[in-house]
Amino acid sequence: MLLRAAPPHRSREEAQRLLQRIGDATDDALRGEGILPGIRRSLDRLRPGSYADLQHVIRLSGDLGPEAFPLLLEQYEEHAGLTSSEFFTPRAVTQVMAELLVCEGSAPIAVHDPYLRGGELLTAAVEAVRRAGSSVALPTVRGAGPNEDTLRLAGMHLMVQGVPARLETGSAAPWTELDQPSLTADRIFLNPPFNASVSAVRGRKPEQWPYGPPPPGNDNFAWIQYALGKLNPGGCAAVLMPNNALSSANGQEQYIRQSLVERGALECVIALPKQLFRGTAIPVSVWILRYAPGRRKEVLFVDARHMGVMQSRTRRILTEDNTAAIVRAVEAWRSDGERSVSHVGVDGLSTAAEPDDIRDRGYSLNPADYVVREMAATRHAEDLERELADSMEAVRRARHFMIGADVRMKQVQRESDFVRALTGDSVLGHWEERPLGELCEVQAGPSPSLVKSTRSAEGDVPVVLPTHLRDRRIVALPDQVLVPREHAEGRLRNYQVAAGDILCVRTGTTGPSALVDAPQEGWILGSNLLRVRRFVDPVREVLPEYLLAFLSLPAVEEWIRIRSTATTAIGSISTASFRQLPVPLPPWDEQRRIGDRLRAYDRQIVTHRDFAQAVERSRAAWAEQVMQEAVTVMRPKKTRKEQVS
């Protein structure tokens, strides 16, 4: 409509007037949704170089859907020069917080964010409810924020997602607003400004802080108590805190931590890795709080500091596998915590502690004081002997396979005439180029909600995740997601993999591929993967080993990355785009020779890596055996129940 109303001369002045019309129309739409206007004022500062430039931007904007808004927020955050109190919450962190809070029960809930940034926490909460399906009612959404520009962005973020929300201009220290309405919520999501210096006690008497007055000059624990004070009975809150709040030496903060533990208000602490936020390397933790007097006082500690992958030199992201592992650790404890007060997560991420244990550590809430100590407990002497013997046997086996791979590689390297023969013009003239979709069936993985609804700790069929694709093969990992066999052969039957299939990462770090071997037959394709399965057709026959070699070329991985659609912060390539990949296809015998020789390289890489890992394991076993006294020092203190028994 805007382009159809363009003036005939299309001058730069007309471009400026069109921008003003866009601003006015947008502000009218915002007012209609109860959102603070201000787009016209922002657009008045722009100076388009030409009318054609503005037309091009309008056309591009018309192709964007609601899913593009998080990407726009990231660009705004990168270029707007936001302060640390305005940084947006990383998407993976919002997903963890939302998954842990919003899907308990099916009754409608009220969700509130008292320090809105870009609306990312509230949006994540609504998305989590939608992923849960019709069994959970959509929440009512409220929020407040002190920054008008980001408050407006938050409103637009929620509006394009189809989420009606009540947003208000708030305070950087809302507990000082004595006439503030007593609005409460069932779920509170909060990423407050860290270590803010607004006096936390101003405007309130000491007895008005139920868990203890925060120290002047640091509002971290004022925000904690504000969130708890706004919860309805049975409600819960997820609050991001800087890690210095976990075990600070300040007496007032220590007293508040003590009160939170002894009164059962703290359910869980999740330590996250550093460098998650844009513009700062500060590590943070998620605190799960509950207003549920009488609940058990055990606290779950999750240590996820080692997780994530570096997206750039200064920015780390949590993968979908990482967030799923964190959520699984908490859900597993919630499901069995009522029956066990000594829960140690089988995932190696989590440990539950009673108030006695936390009291013995001076009310430190640092997961490293619990999870790591449990993992470092000394084993019995016979266990150490067995581990050393097993590790030495593993070294022997790994060396045997490595020697075999080295012998095969010597044969390959002697066949230099083969390489020269393949590069001759007469041979290359027999190659043809075909789109991947003409050679193979390309199948995308199931929806995340389908996998989530079918997975089970008692399952026996693994789901292949991107982290399982290593060195062009599929490896099993300790945190494997499992589904029951009846689901694998029923609802997920179309997503089973077979030997000879090639799996490619389609979301996130797009490009890496792996060949399915016989041991993985029947496993389930993960949501973030594509399955490439060759057609049984002699006319368009392609050898899986050759195709894997081609898909693993750096140029091909770059082709995939370039065509990944960045609809969110993490890119994704569509099935249709992947089918268009041009594949150079030599004759069958040459495909076989190329595939065989490159698989020999892969075999050498894998066997040498396996040998190095076996030697590392043997070294650790030997060191632990001869230095048992040093390891004993790292044992966790016995609980009082253990001492009595």
Side-chain angles (χ1 to χ4, degrees):
M1 182 181 70
L2 290 170
L3 294 178
R4 286 199 301 270
H9 300 297
R10 301 182 178 183
S11 64
R12 292 179 61 181
E13 292 74 18
E14 292 293 348
Q16 196 69 42
R17 282 192 283 272
L18 180 56
L19 270 179
Q20 293 170 355
R21 291 178 59 191
I22 294 173
D24 289 337
T26 306
D27 282 342
D28 288 342
L30 294 178
R31 290 189 190 94
E33 297 291 333
I35 300 171
L36 191 69
I39 299 300
R40 163 68 186 270
R41 186 173 63 250
S42 298
L43 294 183
D44 281 345
R45 297 194 293 266
L46 298 181
R47 295 292 181 268
S50 69
Y51 198 93
D53 290 343
L54 183 56
Q55 281 182 309
H56 182 61
V57 171
I58 292 174
R59 290 193 187 96
L60 291 176
S61 301
D63 294 333
L64 297 178
E67 65 278 1
F69 202 88
L71 181 61
L72 297 177
L73 280 182
E74 282 209 349
Q75 293 299 310
Y76 174 84
E77 182 182 32
E78 181 175 354
H79 298 291
L82 300 181
T83 65
S84 60
S85 63
E86 299 166 331
F87 290 153
F88 299 143
T89 313
R91 181 168 176 80
V93 179
T94 68
Q95 290 174 334
V96 169
M97 297 168 72
E99 291 286 343
L100 292 178
L101 258 65
V102 301
C103 296
E104 294 183 359
S106 58
I109 58 173
V111 176
H112 180 49
D113 181 351
Y115 195 89
L116 271 174
R117 293 169 182 260
E120 64 276 4
L121 284 168
L122 294 180
T123 303
V126 174
E127 288 175 346
V129 171
R130 285 174 172 165
R131 284 195 298 271
S134 58
S135 61
V136 180
L138 285 176
T140 57
V141 177
R142 295 200 311 269
N147 184 312
E148 289 189 359
D149 289 334
T150 54
L151 184 66
R152 187 178 304 110
L153 287 174
M156 289 189 285
H157 193 180
L158 292 162
M159 187 171 69
V160 299
Q161 297 291 338
V163 180
R166 175 182 170 184
L167 307 183
E168 300 172 343
T169 303
S171 169
W175 52 86
T176 63
E177 306 293 328
L178 299 181
D179 57 347
Q180 188 183 46
S182 57
L183 296 174
T184 58
D186 302 298
R187 304 288 186 270
I188 289 180
F189 296 90
L190 175 59
N191 177 9
F194 297 160
N195 306 315
S197 58
V198 178
S199 177
V201 297
R202 178 167 56 86
R204 300 195 68 171
K205 299 177 182 179
E207 59 268 22
Q208 292 176 296
W209 296 105
Y211 299 91
N218 192 316
D219 296 343
N220 289 340
F221 285 91
W223 282 109
I224 289 285
Q225 296 190 70
Y226 180 79
L228 279 166
K230 289 296 180 181
L231 286 176
N232 291 325
C236 52
V239 183
L240 276 179
M241 281 280 107
N243 278 2
N244 64 292
L246 295 171
S247 55
S248 58
N250 182 278
Q252 289 174 269
E253 294 187 347
Q254 185 180 28
Y255 179 81
I256 297 172
R257 292 197 299 270
Q258 173 182 338
S259 298
L260 293 172
V261 171
E262 299 292 352
R263 295 170 61 178
L266 181 64
E267 180 188 37
C268 176
V269 176
I270 304 167
L272 298 175
K274 61 182 180 180
Q275 295 179 297
L276 290 178
F277 285 79
R278 187 182 300 278
T280 179
I282 184 172
V284 302
S285 52
V286 179
W287 297 32
I288 306 297
L289 308 163
R290 286 194 179 271
Y291 177 38
R295 66 170 291 273
R296 74 185 192 278
K297 298 178 181 179
E298 189 181 24
V299 178
L300 180 70
F301 293 98
V302 180
D303 190 353
R305 292 173 301 160
H306 63 286
M307 286 187 166
V309 295
M310 296 303 295
Q311 185 183 44
S312 66
R313 188 176 58 85
T314 59
R315 185 84 184 275
R316 180 183 296 273
I317 62 169
L318 293 175
T319 66
E320 183 175 323
D321 297 342
N322 296 153
T323 59
I326 294 171
V327 172
R328 283 200 305 272
V330 179
E331 289 178 342
W333 171 71
R334 284 175 173 171
S335 65
D336 73 359
E338 294 291 348
R339 301 187 297 275
S340 172
V341 294
S342 57
H343 171 95
V344 178
V346 294
D347 44 53
L349 287 175
S350 60
T351 297
E354 296 181 86
D356 285 345
D357 302 316
I358 302 172
R359 190 180 305 119
D360 289 343
R361 291 171 174 81
Y363 292 99
S364 167
L365 302 181
N366 189 344
D369 288 337
Y370 304 89
V371 180
V372 173
R373 285 173 180 259
E374 287 286 354
M375 293 171 64
T378 307
R379 291 172 288 174
H380 295 297
E382 55 269 26
D383 293 334
L384 291 175
E385 289 281 0
R386 188 181 306 110
E387 170 65 16
L388 181 58
D390 289 347
S391 66
M392 293 178 68
E393 174 61 20
V395 170
R396 188 195 65 78
R397 289 197 308 269
R399 181 186 289 112
H400 170 76
F401 290 121
M402 182 178 68
I403 291 172
D406 289 345
V407 170
R408 173 61 180 141
M409 274 305 303
K410 287 181 181 179
Q411 296 173 351
V412 169
Q413 291 166 353
R414 284 197 297 266
E415 296 171 355
S416 58
D417 58 328
F418 163 73
V419 177
R420 288 194 296 270
L422 281 181
T423 56
D425 291 340
S426 60
V427 173
L428 292 177
H430 296 294
W431 291 39
E432 60 176 326
E433 185 178 288
R434 307 286 292 276
L436 180 64
E438 291 185 8
L439 299 170
C440 303
E441 169 200 275
V442 180
Q443 169 72 53
S447 67
S449 60
L450 179 56
V451 174
K452 183 176 180 180
S453 66
T454 55
R455 72 187 185 194
S456 168
E458 277 73 51
D460 50 3
V461 179
V463 176
V464 186
L465 303 176
T467 53
H468 301 148
L469 277 56
R470 298 185 180 181
D471 302 322
R472 292 163 290 281
R473 62 172 180 161
I474 298 170
V475 298
L477 296 176
D479 63 342
Q480 197 95 42
V481 175
L482 301 172
V483 298
R485 186 163 299 279
E486 59 266 26
H487 289 315
E489 297 176 353
R491 298 172 64 187
L492 297 169
R493 179 168 51 85
N494 292 335
Y495 302 103
Q496 289 183 316
V497 301
D501 289 347
I502 297 174
L503 307 186
C504 305
V505 179
R506 66 182 295 255
T507 302
T509 309
T510 51
S513 305
L515 185 68
V516 178
D517 287 324
Q520 296 96 40
E521 186 95 31
W523 288 17
I524 300 302
L525 182 68
S527 302
N528 290 346
L529 299 177
L530 291 170
R531 184 189 68 200
V532 179
R533 176 173 291 172
R534 61 173 178 165
F535 293 119
V536 182
D537 185 343
V539 177
R540 45 184 178 179
E541 187 73 30
V542 61
L543 187 70
E545 290 79 4
Y546 167 77
L547 186 57
L548 175 69
F550 173 70
L551 292 175
S552 302
L553 290 174
V556 176
E557 293 187 356
E558 180 64 16
W559 186 95
I560 295 172
R561 280 192 289 272
I562 290 173
R563 286 156 181 80
S564 296
T565 304
T567 55
T568 65
I570 301 176
S572 179
I573 189 167
S574 68
T575 304
S577 295
F578 199 55
R579 288 192 181 107
Q580 298 305 312
L581 173 67
V583 179
L585 201 63
W588 179 261
D589 288 344
E590 291 168 12
Q591 289 186 45
R592 180 179 52 78
R593 286 188 289 176
I594 293 171
D596 286 349
R597 282 153 180 78
L598 289 178
R599 289 295 280 178
Y601 275 97
D602 289 341
R603 182 66 177 164
Q604 189 177 43
I605 291 169
V606 168
T607 56
H608 276 256
R609 188 163 292 158
D610 289 347
F611 177 73
Q613 291 173 350
V615 173
E616 179 66 28
R617 175 188 166 195
S618 183
R619 179 195 181 280
W622 187 86
E624 189 174 359
Q625 186 178 45
V626 300
M627 301 178 70
Q628 289 187 64
E629 185 62 31
V631 178
T632 301
V633 176
M634 300 300 296
R635 284 181 176 177
K637 297 178 182 178
K638 287 186 176 181
T639 65
R640 300 185 182 187
K641 286 185 178 181
E642 290 172 329
Q643 292 171 353
V644 170
S645 60

